[in-house]
Amino acid sequence: MKSYHTQVRLQRMRVPLIVMCFVLGLLSFADVFVRVLPAHRQLRTAERSIASLRTQILTRVSAIRPDLAEMMGREPPGILDEEKERQKSKFPIPPEDLISLTKAYIASSSDDEPADWFADDFRFVAPVVGPFGKDEFKDSLKSFELKKGFSDLSSNYHHFRVDPFEPNRVWFSVKFIGSNTGPIMGRPATGKSVESPVQAHSVTFNEQGEITKLTIGYVLDKETGNTGGLGGVFGLLYGIGYGLPFPEAQPYKPSPIYGTLMQGNQVLQNLFKANPSAKKAILGFVTSIGK
């Protein structure tokens, strides 16, 4: 009898258990569905982004000559791993602080009483000027009175970066654009506009954040601007018609020998191709007289 009642109770419990398992199954499926649905949507979004990016690339590349476009992605051997090179540095001031110091120095140079940024061993070096020491540089800079002569001059500073080989040196570029609005070098304003080529400048620091070396005026492309390919103050003066009367402050002109060689360069190259021994003889002669 007892066994009969036990079987009845088990039968009665079976139905609720089946229903409970069914409900739990639905809930688990719903949970999985809820989790899978966003993933599916994310996948579709990613596919659309990839398709859009592919369209943009094809549109951009379509203007490039096909054979050149096919070579995109290649890189030459010898590219420096700049980050790896910088990690070798033991200089205590990090790159971001060096760049910040450089910008602060540039900003302070226009103050009425600029701070003394220069170390005792400071040197100023330009393509044809210097090296100057600390005092000589300050005195020379004041003599030009650029602020009065070019009151609207914009330097257009850009491309600040730390030299991977000299981790205490910051390179940056400038491109002067303005006009001669006031008297300069004892002569009246011309009103002429001036635009220099892009020039490379650099600032080198010691461990105290003092400047040990300043370089300016290294032109990157002499065919741009209207300063005759000159950088620095010489370029500004030439651009307004006040070029200084010595070769270093005038547009570059080749020497008679080099000028002749350049004018006949294609003739020489054709001669070298046809007669390699002539090439050896001529180049040997030219290099011997240059000693």
Side-chain angles (χ1 to χ4, degrees):
M1 189 70 177
K2 191 177 290 186
S3 175
Y4 170 77
H5 287 298
T6 300
Q7 289 179 4
V8 171
R9 279 198 293 271
L10 288 173
Q11 288 289 342
R12 289 176 179 174
M13 291 173 63
R14 185 179 296 172
V15 174
L17 284 171
I18 293 172
V19 172
M20 188 180 295
C21 289
F22 179 73
V23 171
L24 289 174
L26 286 177
L27 289 174
S28 297
F29 177 76
D31 180 56
V32 172
F33 181 76
V34 169
R35 279 183 290 177
V36 168
L37 186 59
H40 177 69
R41 287 176 178 169
Q42 290 173 4
L43 181 60
R44 291 294 300 275
T45 301
E47 288 175 347
R48 284 196 294 268
S49 298
I50 292 171
S52 175
L53 180 61
R54 183 172 179 273
T55 301
Q56 292 176 22
I57 293 173
L58 289 174
T59 301
R60 190 175 73 241
V61 173
S62 64
I64 301 173
R65 210 175 73 198
D67 58 322
L68 301 181
E70 287 179 3
M71 289 190 281
M72 291 174 64
R74 294 181 61 189
E75 292 189 351
I79 290 182
L80 178 70
D81 186 337
E82 295 186 34
E83 186 56 36
K84 184 177 180 180
E85 192 69 27
R86 274 193 287 267
Q87 288 174 0
K88 299 178 184 177
S89 169
K90 296 181 180 178
F91 191 71
I93 305 177
E96 58 271 20
D97 290 345
L98 288 173
I99 291 174
S100 182
L101 281 169
T102 301
K103 292 179 178 179
Y105 160 66
I106 295 170
S108 69
S109 62
S110 61
D111 295 343
D112 293 332
E113 293 294 331
D116 183 8
W117 285 82
F118 305 130
D120 292 337
D121 59 348
F122 169 82
R123 289 180 304 132
F124 168 79
V125 184
V128 296
V129 177
F132 289 163
K134 184 176 179 177
D135 294 333
E136 187 176 8
F137 168 66
K138 289 181 178 180
D139 293 340
S140 299
L141 193 62
K142 290 176 183 178
S143 66
F144 287 108
E145 296 185 324
L146 291 178
K147 291 181 183 178
K148 291 181 180 180
F150 299 90
S151 60
D152 65 347
L153 190 68
S154 175
S155 300
N156 297 294
Y157 301 106
H158 61 285
H159 199 195
F160 289 81
R161 69 276 186 197
V162 173
D163 190 323
F165 298 108
E166 297 180 76
N168 60 330
R169 187 177 197 174
V170 176
W171 288 95
F172 60 97
S173 301
V174 304
K175 182 179 177 65
F176 296 119
I177 298 176
S179 52
N180 178 211
T181 56
I184 189 167
M185 301 290 288
R187 302 185 67 180
T190 64
K192 292 181 178 180
S193 297
V194 64
E195 177 182 342
S196 78
V198 173
Q199 303 164 53
H201 292 198
S202 78
V203 182
T204 305
F205 295 91
N206 62 21
E207 295 184 356
Q208 288 72 49
E210 298 171 328
I211 296 174
T212 59
K213 186 177 183 180
L214 173 66
T215 66
I216 71 165
Y218 290 86
V219 168
L220 301 185
D221 182 357
K222 65 182 181 181
E223 292 187 327
T224 60
N226 65 349
T227 64
L230 297 167
V233 177
F234 291 168
L236 295 176
L237 294 176
Y238 181 84
I240 62 172
Y242 288 165
L244 298 178
F246 43 84
E248 292 81 359
Q250 296 289 321
Y252 166 76
K253 290 182 179 180
S255 65
I257 294 176
Y258 186 68
T260 301
L261 289 173
M262 286 300 96
Q263 288 177 359
N265 181 57
Q266 190 58 61
V267 175
L268 279 175
Q269 298 306 320
N270 293 337
L271 174 63
F272 292 163
K273 289 177 183 178
N275 192 343
S277 60
K279 176 180 179 179
K280 183 178 180 180
I282 292 174
L283 295 181
F285 170 73
V286 170
T287 54
S288 65
I289 64 175
K291 294 180 181 179

